[in-house]
Every structure is written in structure tokens, then in C-alpha cells.
Amino acid sequence: MSRSDKHILVVSAIRPRHMEELAAKYELHRWDQATDKDAFLANVADRITALVSTAGVGVPTELIGKLPNLRVITSFGVGYDAIDIAACTARGIRVSNTPDVLNDDVADTAIMLLLATLRRLVVGDHWARSGQWSEKGAMPLTTTARGKKLGIVGLGRIGQAIASRAEPIGMEIGYFGRSKKPVDYHYEADLIGLANWADVLMVSCPGGAATQGIINADVLKALGPRGFVINIARGSVIDEPALIAALRDGVIAGAGLDVFHNEPHMDRAFAEFDNVVLYPHNASGTVETRDAMAQMVVDNLAQWFADGTLVSPVN
């Protein structure tokens, strides 16, 4: 198959250097840059066999329906809840993601948020910068992580990487998931049960319909006024109005959040709480990890065009 036979629709671009590599190998059609997307698509739709996007953007289901010869979607990111996998599978469209290469940075960020939330890093930074330290003396005492119970919602690859970092801190590990895993951590078959048990609820499960809003008002109430919630999963996993109410009313002690509904237009109510640490969905946001993710997209496409298989298939 020649370069002219390899037409790729770009819905959301990956790293610049890797986009240059794709442009050198394939015919790229930049739907992401088109002003009139319908007119653009009318000229290229029949030629498109592959598609590149990112987890944050996904692929609109109606767009898939307009690409009759689409055979593969390569997505930059682990999550694929913004891609209709069932519809793709029904049409024989293969989907790939970029797992594992971001586990360490995401797990590091989870621990960063946990410690920053419990130890009130942002408040402390402001205390020093604003002059309150010299005017008022030491800032109020905070909460230690050592000896606390960390309840992980979703003990997948990232969840286990988080647990491996929390153990040396001196935290006791528990988890909730679809099934018990061959680990020595405390297992709760019920999410309310895990919230009752935990001091810190760490959300690291996949997004999608099955987990939408599972961290709800009942779970937050079970976590209690000394409990904290950390979310590095997807914004959809938490019922945000319930979380905002819980923070406002002292139902829980605080939160560390990397992900939100309607990103990047997060609910501004979160910015009003000094017991919340905010991070702009940047858990995997290091040069090294994003380059590795982009390379996996490149590798998935190369392998697909070579033999019809994928390095990291989803379906």
C-alpha cells in the first residue's frame, strides 16, 4: 500500500514531532483545523481508512457514521469513553489506546494530589507568599497521610501503581472493583462499604456509562467529615453537584481533583474552596510520557497498515 492509499482523518492532533512523522508517511486530512467541517468531510470521507484522536476529544459517533471506509481509530490516551466502542465493533472498526506508558506519571500525580490536599500545600504556599506567616505566625495544623486508610476505586494498572506508592508512606490499602484481585489489600465488594472504611477515597476507575456518577452523595456521606476524595480518573465518575454540596456543607474534609465535567470549563465553584487542590487534567502531562503516548499512536498506525493488527487494541 502506497502513501497515497493511506488516508488518515485527524480529529485531534497528537505531539507536533509525531504529527510531522505521520504527515511524512500518510495523507493527513485535518478535520480538527477545518472551519466548515461538513464541507471538508464531503471531499474526503470516502478515502478515510484511519482516524487519529485524543482521549479528551474522542470521536463523535455521528462522524464515524459518515466515514464508510473507516477501519481503525488510534486514540492518544488511556480512556476511550468518548468513543462508541460498541458501534465501532459492530462495524468492524478497530480501536487502540495508549495504556501503561502513563501509569507512573498518573500514579505520581495521584500521590501528589493526596499529599497536597491533606497537607494543604496550596494554602501553605499562599500563607508564605502573602505575608501571613510573618504577620500571623505558623499556619494551622494539617492532616498526616501516615496511618490513614486509602480506599482505591478501581484497582487496575494505575490503581495498583498508586497503591505501590502509598504503602511506603505508611497508608493501609483497600479497594473496590468488579472482582477481587490476587493482592493482600483489604477488599470491599460495596462502594459505600469502602467509603465507610476509608479516610481517603482515591478514584482511578475507567469512565463511561457504567461508572457515571458512582461517587455520589451517599458515598460522600459515608466517607465523612474527616474524609478526602482524590480523582485522577474521569470527571464523569463523580456527581459534581453532590461533591460541591459536600465540600460546602462540611460533609467531607476536602478534595484533590485532576479531572472535571465539561473540561476545560470546570465548575467555578471549586475555585472557592481552600480545602480543594485543583489540577487541569494534567496527570500524564510530562514531556516524556506524552512523547511515549504519541509514539504508541504512531506505532499502532504503522502496525495496522503493515499487517492489520494493533500494538494496543481496545476491541
Side-chain angles (χ1 to χ4, degrees), residues 3 13 69 153 209 249 264:
R3 178 182 185 276
N69 297 311
V153 182
D249 299 336

Side-chain angles (χ1 to χ4, degrees), residues 115 117-120 141-146 148 226 228 253:
L115 292 174
T117 303
L118 271 63
R119 298 304 308 273
R120 307 198 75 191
L141 298 180
T142 63
T143 301
T144 186
R146 179 164 295 277
K148 297 296 189 297
R226 293 187 177 181
F228 299 84

Side-chain angles (χ1 to χ4, degrees), residues 106-169:
V106 174
D108 287 347
T109 300
I111 296 300
M112 176 188 77
L113 282 172
L114 186 156
L115 292 174
T117 303
L118 271 63
R119 298 304 308 273
R120 307 198 75 191
L121 177 64
V122 176
V123 171
D125 180 87
H126 178 69
W127 196 268
R129 288 177 188 270
S130 66
Q132 291 181 82
W133 188 11
S134 61
E135 294 170 6
K136 300 180 180 179
M139 68 177 280
L141 298 180
T142 63
T143 301
T144 186
R146 179 164 295 277
K148 297 296 189 297
K149 295 176 179 178
L150 177 64
I152 301 176
V153 182
L155 196 70
R157 288 170 289 201
I158 292 174
Q160 291 183 51
I162 294 169
S164 73
R165 288 157 170 75
E167 283 188 281
I169 294 174

